[in-house]
Amino acid sequence: MSFFEVLSPVPRKMDMGGDLPLRFHTRPLVGQVVWPLLTLVLFVVLPLAYALDQGLSLARLREEWMLPLVVVLGGFVSVTFILRCVRTRLEVVVTASEVILRGAGALSAFTWNEPLDHYVGLDCERRHHPDWIGAQDEYGIALTHRKDPERNVVVHWGRDARRFEDRLARYAHLLRLPVRREQRAPLAQARAARR
């Protein structure tokens, strides 16, 4: 299993804590609010400032209908996207009996809850990134659903190997689920045996 196959949106770093209920909140689109704000300035604020500076009357604005059209459309689009960015959030809660995913805004499709009994184990993955400075690794832990891979939930994702091992042992104990380590490819196993 690859974490890119897990359909729940995952930030670059994620830690749900060490005690039940495990909890994680994120607002992934808040950082992108600058683009709709820029649209608001370009298509609403600047045209309105121009109209006020030129002293354009309502009669003149009716004749030159392009300026009011740009302001109305720019305002509608930018305000819609600002609200979408601000409202977007994702909350993941894992208790001793169920897994809850609540999304809002652009992530509203990610809202459901499942009994913990429907999960078969904790899958682990280590990703090596040779192109990163220092060739860093990423480590992840995912709750794996018995039947529906869309209900898999990433509960830890980070670059610290020690924290990954601590969280893995803690989550296996708290949730009473078996740990399923990533299988190494036969070629990688053969190379490791030669060393």
Side-chain angles (χ1 to χ4, degrees):
M1 178 191 105
S2 168
F3 282 120
F4 295 112
E5 295 170 8
V6 177
L7 296 182
S8 59
V10 181
R12 300 305 293 166
K13 185 177 179 185
M14 170 174 199
D15 192 350
M16 296 182 73
D19 294 313
L20 288 177
L22 304 177
R23 223 176 258 285
F24 183 77
H25 303 269
T26 184
R27 298 180 80 81
L29 294 184
V30 170
Q32 297 176 9
V33 80
V34 69
W35 301 113
L37 281 175
L38 185 61
T39 304
L40 182 72
V41 168
L42 288 176
F43 294 104
V44 177
V45 174
L46 290 179
L48 284 176
Y50 172 77
L52 290 174
D53 182 56
Q54 297 298 316
L56 298 177
S57 64
L58 287 177
R60 180 81 187 265
L61 286 175
R62 280 191 215 123
E63 291 173 10
E64 296 179 18
W65 54 270
M66 191 61 108
L67 186 65
L69 180 65
V70 166
V71 170
V72 169
L73 289 178
F76 177 75
V77 169
S78 58
V79 168
T80 301
F81 279 104
I82 288 170
L83 289 175
R84 181 179 182 215
C85 288
V86 170
R87 287 189 63 238
T88 296
R89 65 174 176 74
L90 181 70
E91 179 184 20
V92 184
V93 179
V94 179
T95 67
S97 59
E98 68 179 338
V99 178
I100 304 162
L101 202 83
R102 292 187 202 107
L107 300 177
S108 58
F110 295 100
T111 300
W112 46 262
N113 60 350
E114 281 280 325
L116 189 60
D117 297 343
H118 291 182
Y119 289 85
V120 294
L122 295 165
D123 281 358
C124 304
E125 183 176 356
R126 174 184 166 263
R127 287 197 167 273
H128 181 65
H129 298 280
D131 52 335
W132 287 4
I133 294 174
Q136 294 179 343
D137 294 338
E138 281 186 309
Y139 302 91
I141 305 168
L143 274 170
T144 307
H145 196 272
R146 178 166 298 157
K147 296 178 183 174
D148 187 1
E150 291 186 14
R151 300 286 169 108
N152 292 353
V153 175
V154 175
V155 293
H156 177 82
W157 190 335
R159 295 181 184 163
D160 187 347
R162 189 173 5 164
R163 177 164 290 225
F164 163 73
E165 291 296 339
D166 290 346
R167 289 297 187 231
L168 183 60
R170 183 76 178 146
Y171 294 164
H173 173 73
L174 286 174
L175 302 174
R176 296 186 183 96
L177 289 172
V179 173
R180 303 185 319 174
R181 296 252 180 201
E182 179 182 31
Q183 296 297 319
R184 294 175 71 182
L187 183 61
Q189 288 176 347
R191 284 181 188 161
R194 282 185 215 147
R195 292 178 185 170

